[in-house]
């Protein structure tokens, strides 16, 4: 069985950038529903239910075809949101350090250009989906995905991700996705992203 992880901070911790009510609904309703629907889709499949969510998502071909789409959508939702809560923090270090900053400079020139390109991908994602920073073939790349698709489904390693479904920002920002993206940089947990990069490099 998969279970809903607690937020690593309070619902109001990311205010004013991400508001308390959005966090409550996003975590307690949306993320909870992905977990519930994932467990329901895999009812009786003990082997699949005992996997780590990353492992399940990398092995969707082992999931029975009649529930594969449900598992992809809801398992992807569970994976992506569990990750999303981790890469945000009320104590954002403001900018990345060390190896992460070096790789950002190597791939994008500087931090500002990286942020612009990432925001372009997040704004350009039509409808619901995600923008990602991934580690692939020994370099950082920006990609985006529809629905709850994860780069892990293509064996690519996400180290940062931004939820651009309307449920992530509509209460506070309405249709202003660009304002949400701009505010979100204030809560990015760069230390966690640095740790993700280190683990991507050693995998
Ligand atoms: Mn979401």
């Amino acid at each position: 069985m998969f279970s809903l992880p607690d937020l690593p901070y309070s619902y109001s911790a990311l205010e004013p950038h991400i508001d308390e009510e959005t966090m409550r609904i996003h975590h307690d309703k949306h993320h909870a529903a992905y977990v519930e629907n994932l467990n329901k889709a895999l009812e009786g499949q003990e082997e699949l239910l005992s996997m780590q969510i990353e492992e399940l998502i990398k092995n969707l071909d082992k999931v029975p075809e009649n529930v594969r789409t449900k598992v992809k959508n809801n398992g992807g939702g569970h994976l992506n949101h569990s990750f999303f809560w981790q890469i945000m923090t009320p104590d954002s270090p403001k900018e990345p350090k060390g190896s992460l900053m070096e790789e950002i400079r190597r791939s994008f020139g500087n931090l500002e250009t990286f942020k612009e390109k990432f925001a372009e991908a997040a704004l350009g994602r039509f409808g619901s989906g995600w923008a990602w920073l991934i580690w692939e073939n020994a370099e950082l790349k920006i990609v985006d995905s529809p629905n709850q698709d994860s780069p892990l489904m293509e064996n690519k390693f996400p180290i940062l991700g931004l939820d651009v479904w309307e449920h992530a920002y509509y209460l506070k920002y309405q249709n202003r996705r660009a304002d949400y993206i701009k505010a979100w940089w204030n809560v990015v947990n760069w230390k966690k992203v640095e740790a993700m990069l280190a683990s991507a490099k050693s995998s």
Side-chain angles (χ1 to χ4, degrees), residues 26 30 34 81 84-85 130 148 163 165 167-168:
H26 203 174
H30 291 279
Y34 295 128
H81 288 82
F84 190 49
W85 313 136
W130 292 73
Q148 294 296 351
D163 188 344
W165 283 56
H167 69 220

Side-chain angles (χ1 to χ4, degrees), residues 54-55 80 128 150 153 168 170:
E54 292 83 359
E55 196 188 351
N80 292 342
S128 297
S150 161
M153 292 170 186
Y170 202 83

Side-chain angles (χ1 to χ4, degrees), residues 101-136:
M101 191 59 140
E102 281 167 30
E103 294 297 353
I104 285 173
R105 290 198 177 115
R106 188 163 70 91
S107 291
F108 308 103
N110 57 55
L111 183 62
E112 281 317 302
T113 308
F114 159 66
K115 284 185 176 177
E116 279 165 26
K117 290 193 164 156
F118 190 90
E120 265 170 40
L123 271 173
R125 164 46 48 198
F126 184 78
S128 297
W130 292 73
W132 304 98
L133 180 63
I134 62 166
W135 181 251
E136 189 193 15

Side-chain angles (χ1 to χ4, degrees), residues 2 42 45-51 56 59 62-64:
F2 294 93
L42 290 175
Q45 309 272 343
E46 294 313 320
E47 199 187 326
L48 295 171
L49 282 170
S50 68
M51 283 182 170
L56 177 68
N59 290 284
K62 291 187 184 152
V63 174

Side-chain angles (χ1 to χ4, degrees), residues 5 10 32-33 85 88 93 101 106 108 135 149 152 174-175 202:
S10 74
W85 313 136
M88 296 191 290
M101 191 59 140
R106 188 163 70 91
F108 308 103
W135 181 251
D149 289 6
L152 274 185
Q174 293 81 45
N175 60 326
S202 67

